[in-house]
Amino acid sequence: MSNIFDKVEGIAKRTATVFFIIDQSGSMAGVKIGAVNHAMGEVANELKKLMEDNADANLELAVLTFSQDAKWMSSAPVSVDNFHWENIDALNMTNLGVAIDELCKKLSKDKGGFMKGAKESYAPAFILMSDGMPTDNYQVALKKIQSNGWFKYGIKTAVAIGDDADKNMLAEFTGTIENVIEVHNSKDLIKVIKFLSVTSSCIATKGASGVSKAGDDNDLIVITQPDDLLDDDYSEF
Amino acid sequence: MTKNCGFATSIIGASHIRKQIPCQDNSCYIKGKGYETVVVSDGHGGAKHFRSQFGSEFAVQVVKETIGSFVAALGDNANVTDEKINEYEKSIIFLWRSKVEKDFEKKPFTDLELKDLSPNENKEVNEDFHLAYGATFLCGLKVKGKIIFMQLGDGNCVIMDNHKTYEPLEDDDRLKYGFTTSLCSQTAISDFRHIILHDCEKCSLFLTSDGIINSFENVDAFYKFLRIVCDNIKSKEFLSDLNVFLQELSTRGSSDDMSLTAIYSEG
């Protein structure tokens, strides 16, 4: 039966975006980059299963890899149904500042930005993975992105890969050390990438914000890590 | 002479139907002597706002009980000022809180209501029970050629005339990224925003809860939808077709409850 409103166009589900920011510096060579490739290859399937039970939102993924430069794996976020991981290699530097600057540029609804929708409804999720110390002045870029609303209110987590990872820097990125998970073997790295992807996506697509509090004092979203997530085997890295 | 007509409708969201939770939106259209008013209130969906369907109901009741006196006090020329609106907003919050307190006194929280809250959320609602009733508040009043919008929380207050469609209230950063201001907040009085527009005899106005704009790709698509509402408001099947469409919009879009109210002017 026809309806007066049959001609209404532009209807869409809200979209939540998960940003993966992945260190591919030289020190990631071998077992570490292998584990990242393995985990990211399986992330899409894990997230598709999650979204089967969530009809309220679309989930899109965007991957930014960095060493000397920062490069997006696709020109726009990709729906989880269409996401295909392409294996990456370890390269050279750890220019985190360059990566954060590039991420900041895309957190916008302007031309070239990755954020869409009529309103800024779902805050995105950010997962940073790194095994070392930044080789550039990342603090300037971090200070700038911290005033971007999508970053400020987004879910921020990080994976500290091995002993040499700069956990303080990662905590500066996430806003709390509680959202930094440290791993020392490839099995744990794979588990943590999947855990953070699923947990962050779940929170992002449920729109876990709430009533504004006075000033900027809104609660940081803290991820609760299951006690049995890690094997605590320190033999690999 | 400009002819006005108005309506208000609220429908339950697709996700609420799935999860078997009640509609948390409420709305109304009031035609009084020499004025018309529309109200939308959207109860918050978070776990600790488990009585927000009552909060939004109380918000609409407060306006029904008070708007006539407010308009009468403006006098024959509807001499509306920022100070008078500020006072009315304070009375809305006071009366809303009174209704919440009476309800809580009759019905303290039950274990069933509290069982799904985290320890932190439990602590928060026990320290301030008003949180459980949290809701937004949007009101549009048309009187003597003036339009007044009062807004606390997310949702949209839209003006339409022959030339353009726009939202006269400035953007509020506190209403972005999933956050909202609220009737239940300690800062509600200062969080209220309003605007007085003159020479609006031929303008139409709309109030919508955020479930509607969150179902569109962009603001232009949302405004085009409101134009279709305007073009068809006088049709016999208008309200029934609109309610069927809003259900579909929720399913294909935000999955949220939806309220749409309007005071339409033929111009």
Side-chain angles (χ1 to χ4, degrees):
Chain A
M1 203 192 286
S2 74
N3 182 298
I4 287 167
F5 297 96
D6 283 343
K7 289 186 184 153
V8 173
E9 292 177 333
I11 298 172
K13 289 214 172 289
R14 288 193 283 176
T15 299
T17 308
V18 179
F19 289 89
F20 295 90
I21 305 111
I22 303 176
D23 178 352
Q24 57 174 151
S25 59
S27 54
M28 287 284 289
V31 163
K32 292 178 194 172
I33 207 81
V36 167
N37 282 327
H38 181 118
M40 292 303 296
E42 294 188 352
V43 145
N45 282 338
E46 302 279 328
L47 295 179
K48 273 180 209 168
K49 280 187 222 158
L50 173 77
M51 294 311 289
E52 272 163 18
D53 291 329
N54 184 352
D56 297 341
N58 288 331
L59 182 66
E60 292 186 343
L61 311 181
V63 177
L64 178 67
T65 59
F66 69 97
S67 57
Q68 183 161 328
D69 301 313
K71 196 172 149 207
W72 291 101
M73 210 169 247
S74 55
S75 57
V78 177
S79 153
V80 71
D81 288 330
N82 297 326
F83 181 78
H84 296 288
W85 174 254
E86 290 176 22
N87 284 347
I88 57 174
D89 296 319
L91 298 174
N92 39 55
M93 317 279 278
T94 316
N95 286 346
L96 178 63
V98 170
I100 292 175
D101 267 339
E102 183 54 40
L103 174 63
C104 191
K105 272 187 229 162
K106 298 301 185 187
L107 295 182
S108 160
K109 286 209 285 193
D110 293 340
K111 193 179 172 190
F114 281 0
M115 309 313 290
K116 37 175 123 160
K119 286 192 67 184
E120 298 84 353
S121 49
Y122 282 144
F126 303 93
I127 304 173
L128 169 61
M129 306 174 209
S130 177
D131 78 329
M133 308 267 192
T135 46
D136 65 356
N137 185 6
Y138 71 93
Q139 280 105 336
V140 172
L142 186 59
K143 191 159 182 213
K144 185 177 173 193
I145 205 174
Q146 283 167 341
S147 63
N148 178 296
W150 275 288
F151 185 80
K152 202 161 142 183
Y153 299 116
I155 307 138
K156 299 177 284 288
T157 60
V159 188
I161 306 173
D163 283 333
D164 294 334
D166 184 348
K167 288 176 275 295
N168 289 332
M169 173 275 290
L170 294 172
E172 281 181 82
F173 180 87
T174 62
T176 171
I177 193 72
E178 290 178 75
N179 281 0
V180 178
I181 303 182
E182 199 176 324
V183 298
H184 293 275
N185 62 75
S186 50
K187 210 165 140 199
D188 278 353
L189 179 53
I190 292 167
K191 276 198 281 182
V192 164
I193 289 172
K194 288 183 187 177
F195 164 71
L196 289 179
S197 305
V198 169
T199 306
S200 300
S201 301
C202 203
I203 296 170
T205 54
K206 299 234 183 292
S209 301
V211 175
S212 297
K213 292 183 187 164
D216 283 337
D217 193 23
N218 289 294
D219 290 331
L220 197 61
I221 298 168
V222 177
I223 304 285
T224 308
Q225 181 186 330
D227 293 332
D228 58 353
L229 179 66
L230 302 176
D231 284 340
D232 285 335
D233 170 7
Y234 282 55
S235 58
E236 277 191 280
F237 42 79
Chain B
M1 175 89 133
T2 305
K3 284 187 186 167
N4 286 343
C5 65
F7 73 92
T9 189
S10 296
I11 61 106
I12 185 170
S15 68
H16 287 227
I17 294 172
R18 256 196 329 272
K19 295 171 193 169
Q20 295 183 312
I21 52 181
C23 181
Q24 290 161 328
D25 270 24
N26 271 283
S27 61
C28 76
Y29 162 71
I30 302 162
K31 189 172 172 67
K33 195 175 169 192
Y35 72 93
E36 289 166 275
T37 297
V38 282
V39 187
V40 163
S41 181
D42 174 3
H44 307 322
K48 64 187 174 197
H49 309 294
F50 49 85
R51 289 189 181 176
S52 66
Q53 71 270 30
F54 302 116
S56 65
E57 190 185 317
F58 296 156
V60 171
Q61 280 175 3
V62 164
V63 176
K64 282 180 175 173
E65 290 162 10
T66 60
I67 193 72
S69 311
F70 172 68
V71 172
L74 296 177
D76 289 340
N77 293 324
N79 182 22
V80 60
T81 63
D82 289 318
E83 290 72 27
K84 288 178 184 174
I85 296 176
N86 286 337
E87 286 307 307
Y88 185 53
E89 288 166 351
K90 281 183 196 163
S91 71
I92 287 168
I93 291 164
F94 174 77
L95 292 167
W96 181 84
R97 289 177 77 87
S98 300
K99 285 183 183 283
V100 164
E101 282 146 25
K102 281 195 184 112
D103 189 76
F104 181 71
E105 206 177 4
K106 273 195 290 192
K107 299 179 304 184
F109 294 150
T110 64
D111 290 339
L112 189 63
E113 285 176 311
L114 297 172
K115 74 174 175 57
D116 290 329
L117 301 190
S118 70
N120 216 29
E121 287 167 339
N122 215 310
K123 184 167 176 277
E124 282 186 272
V125 296
N126 279 303
E127 283 174 1
D128 184 358
F129 58 83
H130 302 88
L131 286 175
Y133 297 78
T136 67
F137 177 90
L138 290 85
C139 180
L141 168 64
K142 194 169 186 188
V143 58
K144 299 276 189 227
K146 294 171 191 148
I147 285 175
I148 297 114
F149 283 132
M150 289 171 261
Q151 182 168 5
L152 179 59
D154 56 32
N156 298 82
C157 302
V158 183
I159 289 276
M160 194 179 292
D161 63 24
N162 282 332
H163 307 291
K164 56 183 179 159
T165 305
Y166 67 103
E167 295 174 68
L169 281 161
E170 278 178 17
D171 264 1
D172 186 344
D173 279 346
R174 297 165 303 181
L175 305 182
K176 295 180 177 176
Y177 316 110
F179 289 105
T180 182
T181 49
S182 174
L183 285 164
C184 70
S185 170
Q186 295 290 331
T187 55
I189 290 172
S190 56
D191 291 338
F192 243 121
R193 300 179 302 140
H194 67 257
I195 193 163
I196 305 165
L197 303 165
H198 300 269
D199 302 320
C200 289
E201 190 61 48
K202 296 180 183 178
C203 297
S204 299
L205 68 95
F206 296 85
L207 303 180
T208 58
S209 59
D210 72 338
I212 293 189
I213 195 171
N214 284 338
S215 300
F216 288 99
E217 284 171 349
N218 51 54
V219 173
D220 281 343
F222 167 61
Y223 286 170
K224 280 183 184 154
F225 161 64
L226 294 181
R227 280 262 162 219
I228 295 175
V229 168
C230 253
D231 290 344
N232 291 279
I233 197 167
K234 296 248 164 174
S235 127
K236 223 169 54 174
E237 301 87 10
F238 170 73
L239 213 45
S240 56
D241 274 12
L242 176 63
N243 285 334
V244 166
F245 171 73
L246 289 178
Q247 211 68 68
E248 187 194 332
L249 184 66
S250 183
T251 302
R252 289 169 57 195
S254 67
S255 300
D256 201 359
D257 297 333
M258 302 199 162
S259 292
L260 171 60
T261 67
I263 298 170
Y264 166 75
S265 171
E266 263 185 345

